[in-house]
PDB file of all heavy atoms in Angstrom:
ATOM      1  N   LEU A 199      -0.126  21.011 -34.748  1.00 98.00           N
ATOM      2  CA  LEU A 199       0.628  20.879 -33.487  1.00 98.00           C
ATOM      3  C   LEU A 199       0.586  22.190 -32.701  1.00 98.00           C
ATOM      4  O   LEU A 199       0.872  23.253 -33.258  1.00 98.00           O
ATOM      5  CB  LEU A 199       2.084  20.518 -33.805  1.00 98.00           C
ATOM      6  CG  LEU A 199       2.914  20.010 -32.631  1.00 98.00           C
ATOM      7  CD1 LEU A 199       2.408  18.647 -32.144  1.00 98.00           C
ATOM      8  CD2 LEU A 199       4.384  19.891 -33.026  1.00 98.00           C
ATOM      9  N   ASP A 200       0.227  22.084 -31.431  1.00 98.00           N
ATOM     10  CA  ASP A 200       0.330  23.232 -30.524  1.00 98.00           C
ATOM     11  C   ASP A 200       1.422  22.894 -29.522  1.00 98.00           C
ATOM     12  O   ASP A 200       1.159  22.263 -28.495  1.00 98.00           O
ATOM     13  CB  ASP A 200      -1.025  23.469 -29.829  1.00 98.00           C
ATOM     14  CG  ASP A 200      -0.906  24.530 -28.723  1.00 98.00           C
ATOM     15  OD1 ASP A 200       0.073  25.309 -28.746  1.00 98.00           O
ATOM     16  OD2 ASP A 200      -1.783  24.558 -27.827  1.00 98.00           O
ATOM     17  N   LEU A 201       2.651  23.269 -29.863  1.00 98.00           N
ATOM     18  CA  LEU A 201       3.791  22.949 -28.989  1.00 98.00           C
ATOM     19  C   LEU A 201       3.841  24.027 -27.912  1.00 98.00           C
ATOM     20  O   LEU A 201       4.303  25.148 -28.153  1.00 98.00           O
ATOM     21  CB  LEU A 201       5.079  22.914 -29.811  1.00 98.00           C
ATOM     22  CG  LEU A 201       6.291  22.359 -29.085  1.00 98.00           C
ATOM     23  CD1 LEU A 201       6.046  20.955 -28.537  1.00 98.00           C
ATOM     24  CD2 LEU A 201       7.509  22.338 -30.007  1.00 98.00           C
ATOM     25  N   ARG A 202       3.326  23.685 -26.730  1.00 98.00           N
ATOM     26  CA  ARG A 202       3.035  24.718 -25.736  1.00 98.00           C
ATOM     27  C   ARG A 202       3.953  24.700 -24.517  1.00 98.00           C
ATOM     28  O   ARG A 202       3.752  25.492 -23.594  1.00 98.00           O
ATOM     29  CB  ARG A 202       1.596  24.556 -25.282  1.00 98.00           C
ATOM     30  CG  ARG A 202       1.326  23.226 -24.577  1.00 98.00           C
ATOM     31  CD  ARG A 202      -0.160  23.023 -24.317  1.00 98.00           C
ATOM     32  NE  ARG A 202      -0.378  21.926 -23.389  1.00 98.00           N
ATOM     33  CZ  ARG A 202      -1.585  21.525 -22.985  1.00 98.00           C
ATOM     34  NH1 ARG A 202      -2.671  22.116 -23.442  1.00 98.00           N
ATOM     35  NH2 ARG A 202      -1.705  20.537 -22.125  1.00 98.00           N
ATOM     36  N   GLY A 203       4.931  23.809 -24.500  1.00 98.00           N
ATOM     37  CA  GLY A 203       5.799  23.806 -23.330  1.00 98.00           C
ATOM     38  C   GLY A 203       6.814  22.690 -23.335  1.00 98.00           C
ATOM     39  O   GLY A 203       7.094  22.086 -24.384  1.00 98.00           O
ATOM     40  N   VAL A 204       7.352  22.414 -22.144  1.00 98.00           N
ATOM     41  CA  VAL A 204       8.397  21.393 -22.021  1.00 98.00           C
ATOM     42  C   VAL A 204       8.066  20.442 -20.872  1.00 98.00           C
ATOM     43  O   VAL A 204       7.279  20.762 -19.975  1.00 98.00           O
ATOM     44  CB  VAL A 204       9.799  22.017 -21.791  1.00 98.00           C
ATOM     45  CG1 VAL A 204      10.266  22.767 -23.016  1.00 98.00           C
ATOM     46  CG2 VAL A 204       9.810  22.926 -20.581  1.00 98.00           C
ATOM     47  N   ALA A 205       8.690  19.261 -20.939  1.00 98.00           N
ATOM     48  CA  ALA A 205       8.512  18.249 -19.885  1.00 98.00           C
ATOM     49  C   ALA A 205       9.877  17.731 -19.475  1.00 98.00           C
ATOM     50  O   ALA A 205      10.852  17.798 -20.241  1.00 98.00           O
ATOM     51  CB  ALA A 205       7.655  17.094 -20.390  1.00 98.00           C
ATOM     52  N   ILE A 206       9.906  17.181 -18.268  1.00 97.00           N
ATOM     53  CA  ILE A 206      11.151  16.633 -17.733  1.00 97.00           C
ATOM     54  C   ILE A 206      10.795  15.497 -16.768  1.00 97.00           C
ATOM     55  O   ILE A 206       9.745  15.533 -16.134  1.00 97.00           O
ATOM     56  CB  ILE A 206      11.923  17.765 -17.006  1.00 97.00           C
ATOM     57  CG1 ILE A 206      13.352  17.360 -16.725  1.00 97.00           C
ATOM     58  CG2 ILE A 206      11.240  18.183 -15.730  1.00 97.00           C
ATOM     59  CD1 ILE A 206      14.198  18.536 -16.285  1.00 97.00           C
ATOM     60  N   HIS A 207      11.626  14.488 -16.704  1.00 94.00           N
ATOM     61  CA  HIS A 207      11.477  13.444 -15.668  1.00 94.00           C
ATOM     62  C   HIS A 207      12.844  12.780 -15.570  1.00 94.00           C
ATOM     63  O   HIS A 207      13.274  12.110 -16.504  1.00 94.00           O
ATOM     64  CB  HIS A 207      10.400  12.416 -16.055  1.00 94.00           C
ATOM     65  CG  HIS A 207      10.354  11.252 -15.101  1.00 94.00           C
ATOM     66  ND1 HIS A 207       9.773  11.336 -13.854  1.00 94.00           N
ATOM     67  CD2 HIS A 207      10.856   9.991 -15.196  1.00 94.00           C
ATOM     68  CE1 HIS A 207       9.912  10.165 -13.231  1.00 94.00           C
ATOM     69  NE2 HIS A 207      10.573   9.340 -14.012  1.00 94.00           N
ATOM     70  N   ILE A 208      13.523  12.956 -14.433  1.00 90.00           N
ATOM     71  CA  ILE A 208      14.931  12.540 -14.385  1.00 90.00           C
ATOM     72  C   ILE A 208      15.151  11.179 -13.731  1.00 90.00           C
ATOM     73  O   ILE A 208      16.270  10.684 -13.738  1.00 90.00           O
ATOM     74  CB  ILE A 208      15.831  13.606 -13.719  1.00 90.00           C
ATOM     75  CG1 ILE A 208      15.451  13.814 -12.240  1.00 90.00           C
ATOM     76  CG2 ILE A 208      15.798  14.910 -14.490  1.00 90.00           C
ATOM     77  CD1 ILE A 208      16.503  14.625 -11.466  1.00 90.00           C
ATOM     78  N   GLY A 209      14.096  10.576 -13.186  1.00 89.00           N
ATOM     79  CA  GLY A 209      14.292   9.258 -12.583  1.00 89.00           C
ATOM     80  C   GLY A 209      13.290   9.015 -11.477  1.00 89.00           C
ATOM     81  O   GLY A 209      12.456   9.872 -11.177  1.00 89.00           O
ATOM     82  N   SER A 210      13.383   7.832 -10.904  1.00 89.00           N
ATOM     83  CA  SER A 210      12.415   7.411  -9.903  1.00 89.00           C
ATOM     84  C   SER A 210      13.121   7.076  -8.588  1.00 89.00           C
ATOM     85  O   SER A 210      14.312   6.786  -8.576  1.00 89.00           O
ATOM     86  CB  SER A 210      11.682   6.180 -10.436  1.00 89.00           C
ATOM     87  OG  SER A 210      10.512   5.928  -9.709  1.00 89.00           O
ATOM     88  N   GLN A 211      12.347   7.095  -7.491  1.00 93.00           N
ATOM     89  CA  GLN A 211      12.866   6.808  -6.149  1.00 93.00           C
ATOM     90  C   GLN A 211      14.023   7.767  -5.810  1.00 93.00           C
ATOM     91  O   GLN A 211      15.099   7.357  -5.364  1.00 93.00           O
ATOM     92  CB  GLN A 211      13.266   5.327  -6.011  1.00 93.00           C
ATOM     93  CG  GLN A 211      13.712   4.873  -4.617  1.00 93.00           C
ATOM     94  CD  GLN A 211      12.698   5.182  -3.499  1.00 93.00           C
ATOM     95  OE1 GLN A 211      11.550   5.459  -3.760  1.00 93.00           O
ATOM     96  NE2 GLN A 211      13.124   5.155  -2.267  1.00 93.00           N
ATOM     97  N   LEU A 212      13.764   9.074  -6.014  1.00 91.00           N
ATOM     98  CA  LEU A 212      14.771  10.076  -5.681  1.00 91.00           C
ATOM     99  C   LEU A 212      14.726  10.346  -4.177  1.00 91.00           C
ATOM    100  O   LEU A 212      13.663  10.638  -3.621  1.00 91.00           O
ATOM    101  CB  LEU A 212      14.519  11.375  -6.459  1.00 91.00           C
ATOM    102  CG  LEU A 212      15.212  11.434  -7.832  1.00 91.00           C
ATOM    103  CD1 LEU A 212      14.692  10.371  -8.765  1.00 91.00           C
ATOM    104  CD2 LEU A 212      15.055  12.799  -8.439  1.00 91.00           C
ATOM    105  N   ALA A 213      15.890  10.247  -3.555  1.00 92.00           N
ATOM    106  CA  ALA A 213      15.962  10.406  -2.105  1.00 92.00           C
ATOM    107  C   ALA A 213      16.461  11.798  -1.733  1.00 92.00           C
ATOM    108  O   ALA A 213      16.580  12.128  -0.554  1.00 92.00           O
ATOM    109  CB  ALA A 213      16.893   9.350  -1.519  1.00 92.00           C
ATOM    110  N   ASP A 214      16.752  12.592  -2.748  1.00 93.00           N
ATOM    111  CA  ASP A 214      17.344  13.911  -2.526  1.00 93.00           C
ATOM    112  C   ASP A 214      16.703  14.869  -3.528  1.00 93.00           C
ATOM    113  O   ASP A 214      16.583  14.534  -4.724  1.00 93.00           O
ATOM    114  CB  ASP A 214      18.864  13.770  -2.782  1.00 93.00           C
ATOM    115  CG  ASP A 214      19.614  15.070  -2.584  1.00 93.00           C
ATOM    116  OD1 ASP A 214      18.999  16.070  -2.150  1.00 93.00           O
ATOM    117  OD2 ASP A 214      20.827  15.094  -2.883  1.00 93.00           O
ATOM    118  N   LEU A 215      16.303  16.044  -3.048  1.00 95.00           N
ATOM    119  CA  LEU A 215      15.625  16.992  -3.957  1.00 95.00           C
ATOM    120  C   LEU A 215      16.616  17.807  -4.796  1.00 95.00           C
ATOM    121  O   LEU A 215      16.206  18.445  -5.765  1.00 95.00           O
ATOM    122  CB  LEU A 215      14.747  17.955  -3.141  1.00 95.00           C
ATOM    123  CG  LEU A 215      13.563  17.314  -2.408  1.00 95.00           C
ATOM    124  CD1 LEU A 215      12.810  18.367  -1.604  1.00 95.00           C
ATOM    125  CD2 LEU A 215      12.623  16.633  -3.399  1.00 95.00           C
ATOM    126  N   ALA A 216      17.898  17.773  -4.430  1.00 94.00           N
ATOM    127  CA  ALA A 216      18.862  18.649  -5.113  1.00 94.00           C
ATOM    128  C   ALA A 216      18.942  18.387  -6.624  1.00 94.00           C
ATOM    129  O   ALA A 216      18.922  19.342  -7.421  1.00 94.00           O
ATOM    130  CB  ALA A 216      20.236  18.534  -4.463  1.00 94.00           C
ATOM    131  N   PRO A 217      19.015  17.120  -7.081  1.00 94.00           N
ATOM    132  CA  PRO A 217      19.066  16.916  -8.539  1.00 94.00           C
ATOM    133  C   PRO A 217      17.797  17.413  -9.235  1.00 94.00           C
ATOM    134  O   PRO A 217      17.869  17.964 -10.341  1.00 94.00           O
ATOM    135  CB  PRO A 217      19.189  15.389  -8.687  1.00 94.00           C
ATOM    136  CG  PRO A 217      19.617  14.880  -7.357  1.00 94.00           C
ATOM    137  CD  PRO A 217      19.145  15.864  -6.337  1.00 94.00           C
ATOM    138  N   LEU A 218      16.656  17.240  -8.577  1.00 95.00           N
ATOM    139  CA  LEU A 218      15.408  17.737  -9.173  1.00 95.00           C
ATOM    140  C   LEU A 218      15.456  19.268  -9.282  1.00 95.00           C
ATOM    141  O   LEU A 218      15.096  19.839 -10.315  1.00 95.00           O
ATOM    142  CB  LEU A 218      14.207  17.341  -8.303  1.00 95.00           C
ATOM    143  CG  LEU A 218      13.634  15.946  -8.502  1.00 95.00           C
ATOM    144  CD1 LEU A 218      12.579  15.653  -7.449  1.00 95.00           C
ATOM    145  CD2 LEU A 218      13.031  15.795  -9.899  1.00 95.00           C
ATOM    146  N   GLU A 219      15.933  19.896  -8.220  1.00 96.00           N
ATOM    147  CA  GLU A 219      15.970  21.360  -8.235  1.00 96.00           C
ATOM    148  C   GLU A 219      16.921  21.858  -9.319  1.00 96.00           C
ATOM    149  O   GLU A 219      16.635  22.821 -10.028  1.00 96.00           O
ATOM    150  CB  GLU A 219      16.369  21.904  -6.854  1.00 96.00           C
ATOM    151  CG  GLU A 219      16.196  23.404  -6.767  1.00 96.00           C
ATOM    152  CD  GLU A 219      16.097  23.946  -5.343  1.00 96.00           C
ATOM    153  OE1 GLU A 219      16.289  23.181  -4.373  1.00 96.00           O
ATOM    154  OE2 GLU A 219      15.823  25.155  -5.209  1.00 96.00           O
ATOM    155  N   ALA A 220      18.055  21.140  -9.476  1.00 94.00           N
ATOM    156  CA  ALA A 220      19.013  21.532 -10.526  1.00 94.00           C
ATOM    157  C   ALA A 220      18.377  21.370 -11.904  1.00 94.00           C
ATOM    158  O   ALA A 220      18.541  22.225 -12.791  1.00 94.00           O
ATOM    159  CB  ALA A 220      20.275  20.671 -10.415  1.00 94.00           C
ATOM    160  N   ALA A 221      17.645  20.280 -12.081  1.00 95.00           N
ATOM    161  CA  ALA A 221      17.001  20.045 -13.381  1.00 95.00           C
ATOM    162  C   ALA A 221      15.932  21.105 -13.644  1.00 95.00           C
ATOM    163  O   ALA A 221      15.811  21.630 -14.765  1.00 95.00           O
ATOM    164  CB  ALA A 221      16.390  18.646 -13.404  1.00 95.00           C
ATOM    165  N   TYR A 222      15.151  21.424 -12.607  1.00 97.00           N
ATOM    166  CA  TYR A 222      14.094  22.425 -12.786  1.00 97.00           C
ATOM    167  C   TYR A 222      14.712  23.792 -13.125  1.00 97.00           C
ATOM    168  O   TYR A 222      14.147  24.562 -13.909  1.00 97.00           O
ATOM    169  CB  TYR A 222      13.221  22.542 -11.526  1.00 97.00           C
ATOM    170  CG  TYR A 222      12.395  21.308 -11.212  1.00 97.00           C
ATOM    171  CD1 TYR A 222      11.654  21.231 -10.031  1.00 97.00           C
ATOM    172  CD2 TYR A 222      12.340  20.218 -12.069  1.00 97.00           C
ATOM    173  CE1 TYR A 222      10.888  20.099  -9.722  1.00 97.00           C
ATOM    174  CE2 TYR A 222      11.590  19.083 -11.768  1.00 97.00           C
ATOM    175  CZ  TYR A 222      10.875  19.026 -10.588  1.00 97.00           C
ATOM    176  OH  TYR A 222      10.130  17.906 -10.284  1.00 97.00           O
ATOM    177  N   ALA A 223      15.874  24.086 -12.524  1.00 96.00           N
ATOM    178  CA  ALA A 223      16.528  25.365 -12.821  1.00 96.00           C
ATOM    179  C   ALA A 223      16.884  25.433 -14.307  1.00 96.00           C
ATOM    180  O   ALA A 223      16.707  26.467 -14.959  1.00 96.00           O
ATOM    181  CB  ALA A 223      17.778  25.529 -11.955  1.00 96.00           C
ATOM    182  N   ARG A 224      17.350  24.302 -14.860  1.00 96.00           N
ATOM    183  CA  ARG A 224      17.690  24.291 -16.294  1.00 96.00           C
ATOM    184  C   ARG A 224      16.443  24.488 -17.136  1.00 96.00           C
ATOM    185  O   ARG A 224      16.467  25.157 -18.173  1.00 96.00           O
ATOM    186  CB  ARG A 224      18.383  22.994 -16.670  1.00 96.00           C
ATOM    187  CG  ARG A 224      19.777  23.004 -16.100  1.00 96.00           C
ATOM    188  CD  ARG A 224      20.602  21.811 -16.466  1.00 96.00           C
ATOM    189  NE  ARG A 224      21.707  21.815 -15.511  1.00 96.00           N
ATOM    190  CZ  ARG A 224      22.611  20.888 -15.404  1.00 96.00           C
ATOM    191  NH1 ARG A 224      22.574  19.837 -16.192  1.00 96.00           N
ATOM    192  NH2 ARG A 224      23.572  20.977 -14.526  1.00 96.00           N
ATOM    193  N   VAL A 225      15.334  23.890 -16.687  1.00 97.00           N
ATOM    194  CA  VAL A 225      14.078  24.060 -17.418  1.00 97.00           C
ATOM    195  C   VAL A 225      13.647  25.532 -17.360  1.00 97.00           C
ATOM    196  O   VAL A 225      13.189  26.098 -18.369  1.00 97.00           O
ATOM    197  CB  VAL A 225      12.978  23.140 -16.836  1.00 97.00           C
ATOM    198  CG1 VAL A 225      11.609  23.487 -17.397  1.00 97.00           C
ATOM    199  CG2 VAL A 225      13.315  21.692 -17.142  1.00 97.00           C
ATOM    200  N   GLY A 226      13.831  26.158 -16.198  1.00 97.00           N
ATOM    201  CA  GLY A 226      13.466  27.577 -16.063  1.00 97.00           C
ATOM    202  C   GLY A 226      14.242  28.436 -17.051  1.00 97.00           C
ATOM    203  O   GLY A 226      13.678  29.333 -17.691  1.00 97.00           O
ATOM    204  N   GLU A 227      15.539  28.140 -17.182  1.00 97.00           N
ATOM    205  CA  GLU A 227      16.357  28.904 -18.144  1.00 97.00           C
ATOM    206  C   GLU A 227      15.840  28.675 -19.563  1.00 97.00           C
ATOM    207  O   GLU A 227      15.768  29.604 -20.379  1.00 97.00           O
ATOM    208  CB  GLU A 227      17.823  28.457 -18.083  1.00 97.00           C
ATOM    209  CG  GLU A 227      18.544  28.957 -16.856  1.00 97.00           C
ATOM    210  CD  GLU A 227      19.848  28.170 -16.600  1.00 97.00           C
ATOM    211  OE1 GLU A 227      20.370  27.523 -17.540  1.00 97.00           O
ATOM    212  OE2 GLU A 227      20.308  28.192 -15.447  1.00 97.00           O
ATOM    213  N   LEU A 228      15.496  27.422 -19.859  1.00 98.00           N
ATOM    214  CA  LEU A 228      14.995  27.099 -21.206  1.00 98.00           C
ATOM    215  C   LEU A 228      13.684  27.831 -21.491  1.00 98.00           C
ATOM    216  O   LEU A 228      13.503  28.374 -22.591  1.00 98.00           O
ATOM    217  CB  LEU A 228      14.801  25.578 -21.336  1.00 98.00           C
ATOM    218  CG  LEU A 228      14.197  25.091 -22.648  1.00 98.00           C
ATOM    219  CD1 LEU A 228      15.128  25.399 -23.838  1.00 98.00           C
ATOM    220  CD2 LEU A 228      13.915  23.584 -22.592  1.00 98.00           C
ATOM    221  N   VAL A 229      12.804  27.879 -20.512  1.00 98.00           N
ATOM    222  CA  VAL A 229      11.525  28.577 -20.710  1.00 98.00           C
ATOM    223  C   VAL A 229      11.793  30.040 -21.080  1.00 98.00           C
ATOM    224  O   VAL A 229      11.200  30.589 -22.020  1.00 98.00           O
ATOM    225  CB  VAL A 229      10.634  28.460 -19.436  1.00 98.00           C
ATOM    226  CG1 VAL A 229       9.451  29.416 -19.505  1.00 98.00           C
ATOM    227  CG2 VAL A 229      10.154  27.024 -19.262  1.00 98.00           C
ATOM    228  N   GLY A 230      12.725  30.665 -20.366  1.00 98.00           N
ATOM    229  CA  GLY A 230      13.077  32.059 -20.673  1.00 98.00           C
ATOM    230  C   GLY A 230      13.613  32.195 -22.086  1.00 98.00           C
ATOM    231  O   GLY A 230      13.235  33.113 -22.834  1.00 98.00           O
ATOM    232  N   GLU A 231      14.479  31.272 -22.464  1.00 98.00           N
ATOM    233  CA  GLU A 231      15.088  31.326 -23.803  1.00 98.00           C
ATOM    234  C   GLU A 231      14.024  31.144 -24.893  1.00 98.00           C
ATOM    235  O   GLU A 231      14.020  31.856 -25.897  1.00 98.00           O
ATOM    236  CB  GLU A 231      16.149  30.220 -23.895  1.00 98.00           C
ATOM    237  CG  GLU A 231      17.026  30.308 -25.117  1.00 98.00           C
ATOM    238  CD  GLU A 231      18.096  29.195 -25.142  1.00 98.00           C
ATOM    239  OE1 GLU A 231      18.380  28.591 -24.080  1.00 98.00           O
ATOM    240  OE2 GLU A 231      18.614  28.935 -26.236  1.00 98.00           O
ATOM    241  N   LEU A 232      13.124  30.183 -24.660  1.00 98.00           N
ATOM    242  CA  LEU A 232      12.081  29.923 -25.668  1.00 98.00           C
ATOM    243  C   LEU A 232      11.156  31.120 -25.801  1.00 98.00           C
ATOM    244  O   LEU A 232      10.776  31.522 -26.917  1.00 98.00           O
ATOM    245  CB  LEU A 232      11.279  28.665 -25.288  1.00 98.00           C
ATOM    246  CG  LEU A 232      12.053  27.344 -25.355  1.00 98.00           C
ATOM    247  CD1 LEU A 232      11.245  26.194 -24.752  1.00 98.00           C
ATOM    248  CD2 LEU A 232      12.431  27.011 -26.804  1.00 98.00           C
TER     249      LEU A 232
END
Side-chain angles (χ1 to χ4, degrees):
L199 195 67
D200 172 19
L201 190 56
R202 63 188 193 180
V204 292
I206 194 168
H207 173 77
I208 64 167
S210 196
Q211 185 54 16
L212 271 64
D214 180 5
L215 295 178
L218 277 173
E219 189 160 7
Y222 294 174
R224 288 183 197 174
V225 169
E227 286 163 20
L228 176 64
V229 168
E231 190 179 342
L232 292 171

